[in-house]
């Protein structure tokens, strides 16, 4: 089986992993989502082509004939049924435990595999081959009567099982005559009945996720797609700190041989803003509240000065980029990058995204910790920074590595920072500060309308004084800088669509960057186009394009960052939060109202 992004995520907001269509766990990092990949074969040697490949965990049947996979409804619990040529069936249930226990959420860095005979007597072989130091070598192992310890990486792991240990350590073929339970987690003894405990964990984890889904306000149409996207966005949260990562993976290229291989396992403040915005539309206030704690720590550390576009999930500011030399990369298309140089960039839109993420807390009575006057005072330096930088060059939201301009999107986000501070001040009764920030917003607006408007072309441009097109111009409506019926916006939408649309899909930009011309479309930009089409009265066209994007999802119901112009293949890191945000936002906007069926 050629390496593919047709992968099923599992997780619990501490642990996360990706399972391929053969039922193998091919990607999982420890001790955090941005750590060393214990299961690394997604970026390593393909097990179907190399018998000695390392970095995966598989359950294989002798004379295997077919594999069928699906999630338990409204959960990230994956059920894989493997059938042999004689009709014998083994079922594998994969999940990371998550439920309330002792007054808190139990979410260890742990993976559970429950293997059950369903029909006949399947003969199975279990291969558990974790790696250390970014695929440099197989983890060293020691065995006990009921466990195997894997040592040598950032975290020592222990797999406890009720199967014969020698069957697993020797990768021996054996008859599956009764259920097998496997718990891979911290190096701690499992002082309970393994089968009964893991079955209880399965039941309670199922109940947790279905209970969480019941709190969502989903649209009438496309509910299954929206629920799957929402669950996956939650899996991209590192709940301990409140961080939300852009994707679970690193170094999946934007297209074949592109060298555009980036590490997305960090918290971009921009991406996280879009995630909480989408989940807020579904009523998932828990994600917002936890992320706001992460943001408050970022703001405190900045002391009114520079804020990076991204941080580590533990608030780490330094994410030095390096190459992992021992992994060849996805389909051999390296390099594999660890870290991201973008932490050094100037991206001025980040100040707007901090305030846009936070402002809801001044109005939302559901929150356990509503924002206070003190919170407002701590945000004002962020607004001052936005005002100071609104007409200064930066690397843009697309993180150009070789050039800087004054980017319209960044300036508009700086305007939004001032505008929303005015709203928050008014809510708190701080009328003098409301006038102050509204005045600042007016100054920034005037600058944008003067510098970003290209009189000769009759539309907004992506840079001040320029003529470039950029899909982020479609966001001027979303942040309420212009109304959807503004003739200036209609002209801009028309130009962006003409210049950047490739069939059904949208580019970010069409000009060459540090790595040449883009050769794939950017999924979130297509969703931005769908929103713009709907708001400009082209509702049926928007629905058709939305259905096209739904058809391009993986079997898990998810999307990566990029897609080939012919729609045949997904590229870029996976699952991509940006893309899932677009799916949720468009479904919410395009769906028929619930009142239509009452």
């Amino acid at each position: 089986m050629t390496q593919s992004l047709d992968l099923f995520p599992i997780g619990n907001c501490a642990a996360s992993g990706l399972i391929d269509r053969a039922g193998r766990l091919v990607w999982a990092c420890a001790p955090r989502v941005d750590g060393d990949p214990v299961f690394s074969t997604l970026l390593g040697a393909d097990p179907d082509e190399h018998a000695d490949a390392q970095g995966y965990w598989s359950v294989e049947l002798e004379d295997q004939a077919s594999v069928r996979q699906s999630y338990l409804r409204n959960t990230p619990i994956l059920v894989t049924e493997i059938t042999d040529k004689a009709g014998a069936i083994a079922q594998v249930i994969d999940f990371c435990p998550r439920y309330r226990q002792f007054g808190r959420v139990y979410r260890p860095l742990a993976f559970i595999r429950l293997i059950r005979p369903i029909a006949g007597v399947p003969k199975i072989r279990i291969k558990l081959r974790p790696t250390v130091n970014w695929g440099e070598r197989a983890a060293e192992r020691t065995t006990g009567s009921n466990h195997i310890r894997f040592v040598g990486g950032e975290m020592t792991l222990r797999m406890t099982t009720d199967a014969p240990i020698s069957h697993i350590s020797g990768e021996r073929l054996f008859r599956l005559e009764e259920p097998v339970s496997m718990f891979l987690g911290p190096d701690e003894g499992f002082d309970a009945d393994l089968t009964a405990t893991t079955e209880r964990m399965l039941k309670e984890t199922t109940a947790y996720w279905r209970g969480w889904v019941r709190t969502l306000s989903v649209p009438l149409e496309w509910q299954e797609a929206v629920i799957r996207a929402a669950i996956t966005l939650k899996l991209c949260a590192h709940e301990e700190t409140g961080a939300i990562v852009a994707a679970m993976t690193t170094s999946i290229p934007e297209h074949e041989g592109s060298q555009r291989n980036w590490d997305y396992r960090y918290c971009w403040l921009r991406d996280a803003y879009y995630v909480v915005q989408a989940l807020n539309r579904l009523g998932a206030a828990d994600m917002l509240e936890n992320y706001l704690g992460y943001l408050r720590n970022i703001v405190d550390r900045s002391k009114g000065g520079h804020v990076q576009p991204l941080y580590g999930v533990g608030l780490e500011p330094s994410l030095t980029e390096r190459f992992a030399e021992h992994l060849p990369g996805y389909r051999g298309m390296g390099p594999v990058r660890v870290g991201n140089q973008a932490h050094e960039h100037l991206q001025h839109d980040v100040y707007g995204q901090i305030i846009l993420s936070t402002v809801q807390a001044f109005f939302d009575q559901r929150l356990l910790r509503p924002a206070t006057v003190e919170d407002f005072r701590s945000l004002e330096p962020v607004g001052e920074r936005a005002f100071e930088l609104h007409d200064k060059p930066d690397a843009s939201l697309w993180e150009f590595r070789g050039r800087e301009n004054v980017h319209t999107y960044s300036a508009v986000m700086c305007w939004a920072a001032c505008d929303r501070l005015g709203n928050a001040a008014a809510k708190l009764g701080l009328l003098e500060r409301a006038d102050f920030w509204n005045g600042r917003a007016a100054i920034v607006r005037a600058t944008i309308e003067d510098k970003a408007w290209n009189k000769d072309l009759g539309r907004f441009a992506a840079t001040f004084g320029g003529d470039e097109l950029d899909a982020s111009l479609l966001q001027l409506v979303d942040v309420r800088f212009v109304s959807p019926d503004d003739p200036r916006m209609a002209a801009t939408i028309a130009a962006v669509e003409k210049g950047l649309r490739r069939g059904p899909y949208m580019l970010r930009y069409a000009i060459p960057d540090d790595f040449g011309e883009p050769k794939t479309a950017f999924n979130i930009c297509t969703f931005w186009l769908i929103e713009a089409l709907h708001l400009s009265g082209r509702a049926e066209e928007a629905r058709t394009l939305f259905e096209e994007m739904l058809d391009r999802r993986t079997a898990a119901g998810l999307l990566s960052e990029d897609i080939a112009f012919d729609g045949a293949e997904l590229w870029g890191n996976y699952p991509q939060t940006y893309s899932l945000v677009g799916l949720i936002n468009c479904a919410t906007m395009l769906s028929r109202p619930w009142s239509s069926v009452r």
Side-chain angles (χ1 to χ4, degrees), residues 334-389:
V336 172
R337 285 184 169 91
V338 185
N340 199 301
Q341 186 217 335
H343 78 276
E344 301 174 355
H345 287 184
L346 300 178
Q347 295 177 31
H348 302 329
D349 59 304
V350 68
Y351 302 101
Q353 272 117 20
I354 289 173
I355 291 173
L356 284 167
S357 296
T358 305
V359 72
Q360 180 174 332
F362 293 97
F363 296 87
D364 195 337
Q365 293 297 313
R366 297 173 302 164
L367 301 184
L368 297 174
R369 187 192 179 281
T372 64
V373 171
E374 290 72 22
D375 292 323
F376 174 80
R377 299 294 188 198
S378 71
L379 281 178
E380 285 197 285
V382 178
E384 292 287 1
R385 186 80 173 161
F387 182 75
E388 174 191 349
L389 298 172

Side-chain angles (χ1 to χ4, degrees), residues 145-430:
S145 57
N146 296 105
H147 71 264
I148 304 174
R149 295 173 69 246
F150 299 96
V151 299
E154 293 181 24
M155 178 180 181
T156 298
L157 297 171
R158 178 187 295 230
M159 190 282 296
T160 303
T161 185
D162 49 14
I165 284 294
S166 63
H167 286 358
I168 297 173
S169 62
E171 297 183 353
R172 182 183 300 148
L173 192 71
F174 67 98
R175 291 166 60 91
L176 183 67
E177 296 180 335
E178 55 187 24
V180 166
S181 302
M182 304 176 76
F183 183 100
L184 177 67
D187 185 22
E188 302 168 355
F190 200 99
D191 299 325
D193 182 291
L194 182 66
T195 299
T197 302
T198 53
E199 289 288 348
R200 175 183 61 80
M201 289 178 170
L202 173 62
K203 181 179 179 180
E204 295 195 24
T205 300
T206 302
Y208 169 83
W209 284 104
R210 289 180 175 168
W212 184 77
V213 168
R214 284 188 67 224
T215 69
L216 302 179
S217 300
V218 296
L220 174 62
E221 298 180 87
W222 308 297
Q223 289 184 37
E224 186 175 351
V226 169
I227 289 170
R228 182 55 50 200
I231 288 173
T232 307
L233 288 181
K234 189 170 176 66
L235 295 185
C236 289
H238 185 71
E239 194 168 62
E240 181 189 33
T241 62
I244 302 170
V245 299
M248 293 180 183
T249 60
T250 177
S251 302
I252 307 297
E254 292 183 14
H255 59 81
E256 186 172 2
S258 69
Q259 300 288 303
R260 302 171 189 258
N261 301 9
W262 315 119
D263 191 348
Y264 277 11
R265 302 168 305 141
Y266 308 112
C267 184
W268 270 258
L269 305 190
R270 175 191 314 112
D271 299 50
Y273 154 67
Y274 281 111
V275 169
V276 297
Q277 178 198 52
L279 290 177
N280 283 344
R281 288 172 175 164
L282 301 180
D286 59 330
M287 288 280 288
L288 168 67
E289 198 143 34
N290 206 29
Y291 176 61
L292 290 183
Y294 182 86
L295 267 188
R296 285 191 292 269
N297 281 303
I298 294 292
V299 170
D300 285 352
R301 290 182 177 206
S302 73
K303 300 184 185 303
H306 172 64
V307 175
Q308 298 175 189
L310 71 154
Y311 292 84
V313 297
L315 300 164
E316 297 87 357
S318 180
L319 304 170
T320 304
E321 194 171 295
R322 63 181 176 87
F323 293 157
E325 304 290 351
H326 303 291
L327 290 174
Y330 180 72
R331 301 185 189 171
M333 292 183 285
V336 172
R337 285 184 169 91
V338 185
N340 199 301
Q341 186 217 335
H343 78 276
E344 301 174 355
H345 287 184
L346 300 178
Q347 295 177 31
H348 302 329
D349 59 304
V350 68
Y351 302 101
Q353 272 117 20
I354 289 173
I355 291 173
L356 284 167
S357 296
T358 305
V359 72
Q360 180 174 332
F362 293 97
F363 296 87
D364 195 337
Q365 293 297 313
R366 297 173 302 164
L367 301 184
L368 297 174
R369 187 192 179 281
T372 64
V373 171
E374 290 72 22
D375 292 323
F376 174 80
R377 299 294 188 198
S378 71
L379 281 178
E380 285 197 285
V382 178
E384 292 287 1
R385 186 80 173 161
F387 182 75
E388 174 191 349
L389 298 172
H390 75 271
D391 59 353
K392 303 297 188 297
D394 72 353
S396 99
L397 79 161
W398 305 128
E399 299 178 350
F400 295 123
R401 295 193 171 201
R403 66 174 185 268
E404 288 188 339
N405 282 293
V406 181
H407 291 95
T408 301
Y409 176 86
S410 297
V412 168
M413 283 296 175
C414 289
W415 165 83
C418 299
D419 179 74
R420 300 319 193 265
L421 279 175
N423 293 347
K427 172 64 175 176
L428 293 169
L430 304 174

Side-chain angles (χ1 to χ4, degrees), residues 494-509:
V496 169
E497 183 179 8
K498 181 179 179 181
L500 300 182
R501 187 168 177 175
R502 302 291 185 272
Y505 313 119
M506 285 285 290
L507 299 175
R508 290 169 288 182
Y509 46 83

